[in-house]
Amino acid sequence: MWCQRLVWLLRGQRGSTGRRWPQLPRDPEPVLAALARCHSTAPASPCCAWQLHQDHLELRYGSTVMRLDFVWLRDHCRSASCYNAKTSQRSLDTASVDLGIQPQAVRVDDTTLFLTWPDGHVTRYGLEWLAKNSYEGQKQQVMHPRILWNAEIYRQAQVPSIDCRSFLETDEGLKEFLQNFLLYGIAFVENVTPTKEDTKILAERVSIIRETIYGRMWYFTSDFSRGDTAYTKLALDRHTDTTYFQEPCGIQVFHCLKHEGTGGRTLLVDGFHAAEQVLRQAPEHFELLAKVPLKHEYVENVGGCHNHMIGVGPVLNVYPWNNELYLIRYNNYDRAVFNTVPHDVVRRWYHAHRALTTELRRPDNELWVKLKPGKALFVDNWRVLHGREAFTGYRQLCGCYLTRDDVLNTARLLGLQA
């Protein structure tokens, strides 16, 4: 009780008798810190220490030192009146929280932080929850576990293709497929009936099909029926698709239905592996590619198709709290006029872009595969670049784009980190 009264005394608040203690003229911070140290050395919490500051609580739990703002601590209260556990939604009106709020009392035991607020409300946090959900905890965590690869690493991994029946009919098959896809950014399904209709059934097992200007399921040959180089027999350099969308399509499905000719192998390159090499060799290049926004543009006037799409974003997109790369937007075909930075940045950006392009074009990073009827390929369009060698003869491909959110949702529901 003497500790609680000391907190009241230092903050000029009322004691349990209703009497207001006189406000001391001195700064309470040093004494509050001493009080916190007194608590933190209690034998009951040998792995935890804490210290009060004017606007936050500093809490050490294990090897993690967290600085938790008082407003943040009030806003994230998981009590029944503040949080609906059934819907996993906040009930507290954040705008009602005093932005100068401070706890009246703080207590920590082996597993839990207790805070009593000026209105008497008590907030409880598990220390494990705080260590996981604090900024300092998130900074140490990876959002999406991945295995970065070049051609040799991928071949040595001997990642199995998933049989179509297992994929469609069992959660185990679907989970194995998604685990491969999340780790490597590509995954194959074998023994698929080579029709557009069966490919659609395959895609919808994972996600909602994303309808775009190309429709839901696209089906093409080299007839140049759309204003895109993909609808030719020409080679295609490595790239990601739909960079001209504000949110590029997340996953792409390819299924070769027929090819009567030569060539046409598919090129796959792990863009995250290439970006990681740039980060190690020239961090300033990586930083610039993650900072400078670019415009990508698609203009089409072929037959009855008239489109003008513009997407804006940097080549590399990272989570700011841990610098984890989550999207690469790379397409030299569709990159629009570069006019988003002043002249003194332009040349530095070209040097950075060249460094990334050099890594993407290293032969060691190129995985070449021959798509055949019955073998469908899923590609993470936010990570893996694809291309194609020139081909001869008649070649039919079908496929679609999938909504990324729904793919990750399916993975999480099966217990995967995504």
Side-chain angles (χ1 to χ4, degrees):
M1 178 59 74
W2 71 267
C3 294
Q4 188 177 42
R5 287 187 175 178
L6 179 55
V7 175
W8 286 330
L9 177 66
L10 292 171
R11 294 197 171 130
Q13 295 171 348
R14 299 184 189 277
S16 58
T17 63
R19 173 186 173 188
R20 175 172 288 278
W21 299 94
Q23 179 74 46
L24 297 182
R26 58 178 291 179
D27 177 12
E29 184 74 16
V31 185
L32 284 171
L35 174 62
R37 285 194 296 272
C38 172
H39 276 282
S40 66
T41 55
S45 304
C47 63
C48 178
W50 56 277
Q51 182 174 346
L52 284 172
H53 294 274
Q54 191 67 29
D55 60 357
H56 70 280
L57 171 69
E58 184 174 313
L59 176 66
R60 178 181 63 78
Y61 181 67
S63 60
T64 303
V65 178
M66 299 167 274
R67 293 168 181 84
L68 305 166
D69 185 277
F70 291 144
V71 178
W72 186 94
L73 286 166
R74 183 65 189 89
D75 179 46
H76 287 82
C77 179
R78 265 26 186 182
S79 69
S81 62
C82 298
Y83 187 77
N84 188 329
K86 291 184 178 180
T87 64
S88 298
Q89 291 178 304
R90 179 182 285 103
S91 302
L92 175 69
D93 177 14
T94 304
S96 70
V97 178
D98 179 3
L99 295 181
I101 196 170
Q102 294 176 324
Q104 275 191 333
V106 177
R107 181 169 66 87
V108 181
D109 64 20
D110 285 341
T111 61
T112 310
L113 166 67
F114 301 85
L115 304 111
T116 302
W117 302 104
D119 62 358
H121 184 82
V122 177
T123 292
R124 298 172 180 83
Y125 287 110
L127 300 181
E128 289 281 356
W129 188 93
L130 286 171
K132 178 182 178 181
N133 289 283
S134 65
Y135 168 77
E136 292 80 7
Q138 285 291 306
K139 192 174 182 180
Q140 300 172 31
Q141 294 180 36
V142 174
M143 287 284 289
H144 308 288
R146 299 183 176 96
I147 296 175
L148 305 186
W149 53 269
N150 57 22
E152 184 62 23
I153 292 172
Y154 186 81
R155 290 193 186 99
Q156 288 185 358
Q158 296 183 331
V159 183
S161 298
I162 307 302
D163 179 74
C164 181
R165 186 170 181 177
S166 175
F167 175 87
L168 290 175
E169 298 179 4
T170 72
D171 285 347
E172 291 76 16
L174 178 60
K175 185 174 181 177
E176 184 180 0
F177 166 85
L178 286 169
Q179 183 68 82
N180 294 339
F181 179 81
L182 293 171
L183 289 176
Y184 294 97
I186 56 175
F188 295 89
V189 179
E190 290 187 318
N191 302 317
V192 183
T193 303
T195 67
K196 185 170 73 170
E197 292 73 23
D198 286 280
T199 307
K200 177 175 178 288
I201 293 171
L202 196 77
E204 290 179 329
R205 170 72 165 139
V206 184
S207 166
I208 297 171
I209 293 174
R210 178 173 174 177
E211 187 159 9
T212 68
I213 57 175
Y214 303 107
R216 295 185 76 245
M217 292 292 299
W218 43 258
Y219 174 87
F220 68 84
T221 62
S222 54
D223 59 0
F224 202 66
S225 60
R226 302 297 298 262
D228 193 294
T229 313
Y231 290 77
T232 70
K233 296 181 179 181
L234 302 175
L236 292 174
D237 193 20
R238 63 224 71 200
H239 63 281
T240 59
D241 271 17
T242 60
T243 53
Y244 40 79
F245 289 2
Q246 274 302 109
E247 181 186 301
C249 293
I251 287 87
Q252 186 164 13
V253 182
F254 292 101
H255 189 188
C256 180
L257 305 181
K258 182 184 293 187
H259 184 197
E260 300 168 346
T262 61
R265 289 181 305 162
T266 295
L267 169 64
L268 300 167
V269 179
D270 187 354
F272 286 7
H273 173 75
E276 178 69 16
Q277 303 311 306
V278 173
L279 177 61
R280 290 179 179 178
Q281 299 164 15
E284 68 280 6
H285 288 341
F286 184 98
E287 182 180 1
L288 201 62
L289 291 171
K291 185 182 296 183
V292 173
L294 296 180
K295 297 175 184 176
H296 288 79
E297 188 171 30
Y298 178 70
V299 179
E300 179 183 32
N301 287 291
V302 175
C305 300
H306 305 283
N307 294 290
H308 189 176
M309 310 291 292
I310 297 177
V312 181
V315 174
L316 304 179
N317 296 257
V318 301
Y319 296 124
W321 60 87
N322 64 357
N323 210 39
E324 179 182 343
L325 181 62
Y326 68 87
L327 184 156
I328 181 169
R329 188 189 295 250
Y330 184 99
N331 191 319
N332 207 51
Y333 296 104
D334 296 324
R335 182 164 51 81
V337 176
F338 183 27
N339 54 15
T340 55
V341 291
H343 80 280
D344 58 331
V345 180
V346 170
R347 187 66 60 88
R348 289 194 293 121
W349 183 87
Y350 276 111
H351 279 286
H353 188 265
R354 182 66 54 83
L356 177 61
T357 300
T358 299
E359 289 298 328
L360 291 170
R361 291 181 176 176
R362 288 191 187 281
D364 289 350
N365 291 332
E366 298 179 344
L367 178 67
W368 290 92
V369 297
K370 179 70 173 179
L371 298 183
K372 298 179 180 179
K375 190 170 185 176
L377 167 63
F378 289 68
V379 178
D380 184 344
N381 187 55
W382 284 20
R383 170 182 173 179
V384 175
L385 287 71
H386 65 278
R388 181 191 69 204
E389 68 178 353
F391 66 91
T392 65
Y394 183 73
R395 186 172 185 256
Q396 287 182 336
L397 252 73
C398 78
C400 59
Y401 296 115
L402 304 180
T403 58
R404 186 177 189 81
D405 288 338
D406 291 287
V407 173
L408 300 184
N409 176 55
T410 302
R412 294 187 193 109
L413 291 175
L414 290 170
L416 299 173
Q417 183 177 347

